[in-house]
Amino acid sequence: MSSQATADFSHTTVLLEETVAMVLGVKTLADVPKRSVSGIYVDATFGRGGHSRLLLEYLADDACLVVFDKDPEAIAVAQDLAQADARIKVVHDSFASLTDSLVTLGIDKVDGLMADLGVSSPQLDDGTRGFSFMRDGAVDMRMDTTRGEPVSAWLTRVSADELADVLFEYGEERHSRRIARAIKAMENYDSTLALAEVIKQAHPNWQKGKHPATQSFQAMRIFINNELGDVDEFLTQSIDVLKAGGELAVISFHSLEDRRIKQFLQKHSRGQYDEDAHLPIPPVRPKYFGKPKRVAPSDAEVKANPRARSAWLRGATRSDVAWVGDV
């Protein structure tokens, strides 16, 4: 699908200037002249290109920006942009393929990595993608519609107990058993609105201002796209891919992702690992990152874009320590 086909769905990029400043290693963008930064950078979640477009304003003519995305619609937008800007290279894949994809492009080290882990507004607002419980469409929820299994197919074969485990683990849904039984009693999974209504009726405790299907839809989306596994793979690979002095900047929108990023940066900035906790004399471990940074959206941004309210930007600078593999 071309970028023109997605033009009806707008997207407001969250923590835009803050993320680009962090991946460039500056406090604010006022600290760096435009078109002045050389090097190789990665936008691991291109989306509709908000972060990439701003970053490109500061990259020099000899710089390179590699953009990743699972979503074919996002890739179509990226390819359009790449045709107009030779600095861009496009990868249609998950950022879990980071190392291998960069090697294919002849790249082994980069100066900066940024990722926005949220579902984009076009994905949420387009009912046909299946992410929304407010707009009707097929129960799909795949980020990459060219591969993998849609949620509708998975629901027909999964057991109620397995479904409940997914709702609890990935959606932190306390009423997962009750909701899972109701979902499995449905005759078909052809409609997101019908699925949302069944969840709504089965949910015994509605939180004010929050649709009762929110956590269940989140859980199924995360599971079917292996989102948490991909995040873990991306973070681990970032250690080896980043040059010494390179910058990592990652935006998350829910606690499951944010907790992973926080713990990853804490562990690798302190050189303190869980397996060493009970040793009388812990071994000296490498510290792969400097002190972690955390940025929240401003009150003004949250007011202008309510979807930013749960966002956290975390990052750190890669230390001048050789990577020795998984610790």
Side-chain angles (χ1 to χ4, degrees):
M1 183 178 294
S2 71
S3 57
Q4 182 64 38
T6 63
D8 292 338
F9 303 105
S10 61
H11 177 68
T12 302
T13 306
V14 173
L15 289 161
L16 176 58
E17 293 191 3
E18 295 89 342
T19 302
V20 173
M22 186 177 288
V23 82
L24 289 174
V26 296
K27 288 186 177 180
T28 71
L29 292 179
D31 296 333
V32 56
K34 291 190 175 183
R35 306 287 290 202
S36 67
V37 180
S38 296
I40 302 172
Y41 290 83
V42 172
D43 183 347
T45 52
F46 179 79
R48 294 304 181 268
H51 291 110
S52 281
R53 293 174 202 275
L54 183 59
L55 177 58
L56 285 165
E57 292 184 21
Y58 293 87
L59 295 186
D61 292 342
D62 63 351
C64 175
L65 174 61
V66 183
V67 302
F68 286 69
D69 211 292
K70 289 182 177 182
D71 189 338
E73 296 180 4
I75 288 298
V77 176
Q79 289 171 337
D80 285 349
L81 189 60
Q83 288 180 358
D85 193 325
R87 295 174 294 172
I88 301 171
K89 298 182 184 296
V90 181
V91 178
H92 181 196
D93 208 342
S94 164
F95 53 43
S97 75
L98 179 67
T99 303
D100 289 343
S101 294
L102 290 177
V103 167
T104 299
L105 295 172
I107 299 169
D108 63 344
K109 298 287 183 182
V110 305
D111 296 272
L113 288 170
M114 63 180 180
D116 177 348
L117 304 182
V119 180
S120 71
S121 296
Q123 289 170 328
L124 288 171
D125 295 339
D126 183 356
T128 65
R129 298 300 301 275
F131 296 109
S132 175
F133 41 76
M134 304 299 290
R135 294 173 174 82
D136 202 20
V139 183
D140 193 317
M141 301 193 198
R142 288 173 296 168
M143 295 290 186
D144 186 349
T145 53
T146 67
R147 66 188 85 174
E149 182 181 39
V151 166
S152 56
W154 174 69
L155 287 175
T156 62
R157 62 177 180 79
V158 71
S159 70
D161 285 343
E162 290 172 319
L163 174 56
D165 288 344
V166 167
L167 300 184
F168 182 77
E169 181 178 356
Y170 298 111
E172 300 177 298
E173 175 53 73
R174 292 185 299 165
H175 306 288
S176 60
R177 301 288 165 192
R178 180 170 178 169
I179 292 170
R181 288 194 297 270
I183 291 174
K184 288 300 295 181
M186 295 178 69
E187 293 183 359
N188 61 66
Y189 306 105
D190 298 335
S191 164
T192 50
L193 288 185
L195 177 60
E197 183 62 24
V198 165
I199 296 171
K200 179 180 177 181
Q201 295 301 323
H203 204 297
N205 184 21
W206 297 4
Q207 183 177 337
K208 184 178 180 181
K210 186 176 183 179
H211 193 288
T214 300
Q215 289 166 264
S216 294
F217 267 59
Q218 171 188 295
M220 290 183 282
R221 188 203 80 222
I222 289 174
F223 173 81
I224 211 68
N225 292 291
N226 190 36
E227 291 180 31
L228 298 183
D230 282 4
V231 169
D232 290 340
E233 284 285 336
F234 170 72
L235 291 173
T236 298
Q237 291 175 52
S238 74
I239 300 173
D240 194 33
V241 166
L242 280 168
K243 296 177 181 178
E247 301 289 345
L248 176 66
V250 186
I251 303 170
S252 62
F253 287 83
H254 58 76
S255 60
L256 294 175
E257 290 174 337
D258 184 58
R259 191 179 306 126
R260 274 172 158 73
I261 300 162
K262 176 183 177 181
Q263 292 174 350
F264 171 83
L265 291 175
Q266 286 179 337
K267 178 171 68 173
H268 290 296
S269 64
R270 296 173 180 172
Q272 298 175 347
Y273 298 89
D274 295 341
E275 55 268 36
D276 299 337
H278 301 295
L279 297 177
I281 304 178
V284 176
R285 300 287 198 183
K287 299 178 182 180
Y288 293 121
F289 286 97
K291 183 178 180 181
K293 295 162 277 192
R294 184 182 74 166
V295 179
S298 66
D299 291 342
E301 179 171 5
V302 172
K303 184 176 181 181
N305 180 19
R307 286 178 178 168
R309 65 184 179 276
S310 59
W312 283 108
L313 168 62
R314 295 183 186 271
T317 306
R318 179 69 166 87
S319 301
D320 189 12
V321 177
W323 190 57
V324 295
D326 293 333
V327 176

